[in-house]
Amino acid sequence: MSLSSSILRKLPAARLSTAAVVAAMLGLAGCSQEKAEVVQEVVRPVKVVEIGEAQTTRQLDYSGSVRARTEMNLGFRIAGKVTERLVDIGQHVNEGDVLARVDPADYELSVKSAAASLDAAERQVETVDLARKRAEQLYAKNFAPKSQLDQARLTYDQAVATRDAARSTLAQAQNQVQYADLKASKNGIVTAISADVGQVVAAGTPVMTVAVDGEKEVSIAVPEMDIAGFKPGKEVKASFWSDEGLTLDGKVREVAGSADPQSRTFAVRVSLPNDPRVLLGMTANVQATVGNKTQLVSIPLTAMTEKDGKQIVWTVDRASDTVHPRPIKVANFTADGVTVADGLKQGDVVVAAGTQFMAENLKVKLSGDVQQSASAEDVATTSSLH
């Protein structure tokens, strides 16, 4: 028999109910204390990755568009008002095809004027030629001084020179009439039209752009931090969004000598082999492999978080099965995750998911072996730890 039961039996009936309440409260307090004593520390299962060997190379990946190696900005060689446009964007043209015309009326008048000037010059040559021959006959018979003969010959030479100049002027005027037709100088595809019917254009103003048939290439823009990885002659891979199974071997043909003043990137041209599946304007992805100046490791994007304004990861201490924050230096972001330049080394175990639930010295449950990455290409291998 318990002490509380003995006390209840000895108490008067009036006090019995009060004593029962007190005894019950004492009993509940004892039970709560017993339950508190059996509460165990929470151990959270986590998903982790183990850092493998550092990467000795890295992939540079840039998108661009397919363009013709040669693009011609065509313009009229004379000024005038556009009266006809005979092609549209996307149309294939052949060498010699007329693409557009300007009004040739003024130039045709110039041809008539030049022809009349040439005719007058030729008549003048005939006149002074008769005078020269007459002077030669008189001089031969000693009826005229030699100075008169010299003057006649000089006048004839001047007339001949004037006639030759008139011929050149006529030829130039005839050429300008022909220049009223804008013709394609090579086979290609019209990719842009800058002037239309009714517009007055100056000589040399671009009216159309024609992409010349033949070799195609990809134009990409590379920032200065990666431009050293693109040298003329470097072999790269080109894939295309429109056809996932199409991958071609390309080669860097040209690298701009200076950065674009607006984007601060360098224009890089990558030549492609001839393939009928590659069309102008397609979006292409250029991949190049370059060496690392510093050893890099890769982790999933979900493994990185921020603390006190710094980028960190949570590493697992194998000895105590606890997690600890570690600051890292990010090199760049990739399609597969994050490339880390500093803060991690081979063998480190990093929490890959659920970083928002982590805290300093939090116990985690590691019930299985963490697989290490097999190669430098597969830097981090993900596994679930239960």
Side-chain angles (χ1 to χ4, degrees), residues 291-366:
N292 282 331
K293 295 180 180 179
T294 59
Q295 292 189 346
L296 305 176
V297 296
S298 180
I299 60 173
L301 182 61
T302 54
M304 188 184 71
T305 185
E306 285 193 4
K307 183 178 182 181
D308 299 330
K310 297 181 179 180
Q311 294 171 328
I312 66 164
V313 295
W314 291 92
T315 59
V316 179
D317 185 348
R318 290 179 179 271
S320 61
D321 290 339
T322 57
V323 294
H324 307 277
R326 183 182 297 179
I328 59 173
K329 181 180 178 181
V330 175
N332 64 298
F333 294 88
T334 66
D336 300 327
V338 181
T339 303
V340 179
D342 190 26
L344 294 174
K345 62 182 184 300
Q346 183 179 0
D348 286 341
V349 178
V350 177
V351 176
T355 55
Q356 67 272 24
F357 302 113
M358 297 295 102
E360 177 71 29
N361 291 321
L362 177 68
K363 273 279 188 178
V364 294
K365 186 176 181 180
L366 304 175

Side-chain angles (χ1 to χ4, degrees), residues 118 120-129 152-166:
L118 176 60
E122 289 177 343
R123 302 291 81 76
Q124 181 65 23
V125 169
E126 293 175 0
T127 301
V128 298
D129 185 40
R153 288 176 175 174
L154 179 60
T155 303
Y156 174 79
D157 291 341
Q158 289 176 340
V160 170
T162 302
R163 181 197 60 190
D164 293 343

Side-chain angles (χ1 to χ4, degrees), residues 97-115:
D97 288 351
V98 178
L99 310 180
R101 288 190 176 97
V102 294
D103 186 1
D106 293 341
Y107 301 100
E108 290 173 349
L109 292 176
S110 297
V111 170
K112 293 180 180 180
S113 176

Side-chain angles (χ1 to χ4, degrees), residues 246-265:
L246 177 59
T247 301
L248 300 177
D249 293 328
K251 184 177 293 186
V252 177
R253 181 182 68 84
E254 180 182 89
V255 178
S258 61
D260 182 89
Q262 300 297 327
S263 63
R264 304 305 304 164
T265 58

Side-chain angles (χ1 to χ4, degrees), residues 142-355:
N142 295 323
F143 291 156
K146 190 174 185 304
S147 60
Q148 185 176 347
L149 175 61
D150 293 340
Q151 181 65 36
R153 288 176 175 174
L154 179 60
T155 303
Y156 174 79
D157 291 341
Q158 289 176 340
V160 170
T162 302
R163 181 197 60 190
D164 293 343
R167 284 178 178 174
S168 298
T169 302
L170 176 60
Q172 184 179 14
Q174 291 171 339
N175 287 340
Q176 288 183 328
V177 172
Q178 294 178 359
Y179 296 155
D181 291 343
L182 179 61
K183 297 181 180 180
S185 55
K186 292 184 179 180
N187 299 345
I189 297 175
V190 179
T191 59
I193 295 176
S194 306
D196 216 326
V197 176
Q199 184 173 344
V200 177
V201 296
T205 300
V207 173
M208 294 184 185
T209 301
V210 175
V212 178
D213 289 345
E215 185 177 354
K216 299 181 180 69
E217 57 188 20
V218 180
S219 176
I220 59 176
V222 180
E224 58 183 293
M225 63 181 181
D226 289 335
I227 194 60
F230 292 87
K231 300 292 185 183
K234 181 179 180 61
E235 295 183 352
V236 298
K237 294 287 186 180
S239 57
F240 303 87
W241 291 6
S242 60
D243 188 348
E244 295 181 357
L246 177 59
T247 301
L248 300 177
D249 293 328
K251 184 177 293 186
V252 177
R253 181 182 68 84
E254 180 182 89
V255 178
S258 61
D260 182 89
Q262 300 297 327
S263 63
R264 304 305 304 164
T265 58
F266 292 81
V268 176
R269 292 273 189 142
V270 177
S271 60
L272 301 175
N274 290 328
D275 193 304
R277 295 173 293 177
V278 179
L279 303 178
L280 296 178
M282 276 186 171
T283 301
N285 204 44
V286 175
Q287 295 179 342
T289 302
V290 297
N292 282 331
K293 295 180 180 179
T294 59
Q295 292 189 346
L296 305 176
V297 296
S298 180
I299 60 173
L301 182 61
T302 54
M304 188 184 71
T305 185
E306 285 193 4
K307 183 178 182 181
D308 299 330
K310 297 181 179 180
Q311 294 171 328
I312 66 164
V313 295
W314 291 92
T315 59
V316 179
D317 185 348
R318 290 179 179 271
S320 61
D321 290 339
T322 57
V323 294
H324 307 277
R326 183 182 297 179
I328 59 173
K329 181 180 178 181
V330 175
N332 64 298
F333 294 88
T334 66
D336 300 327
V338 181
T339 303
V340 179
D342 190 26
L344 294 174
K345 62 182 184 300
Q346 183 179 0
D348 286 341
V349 178
V350 177
V351 176
T355 55

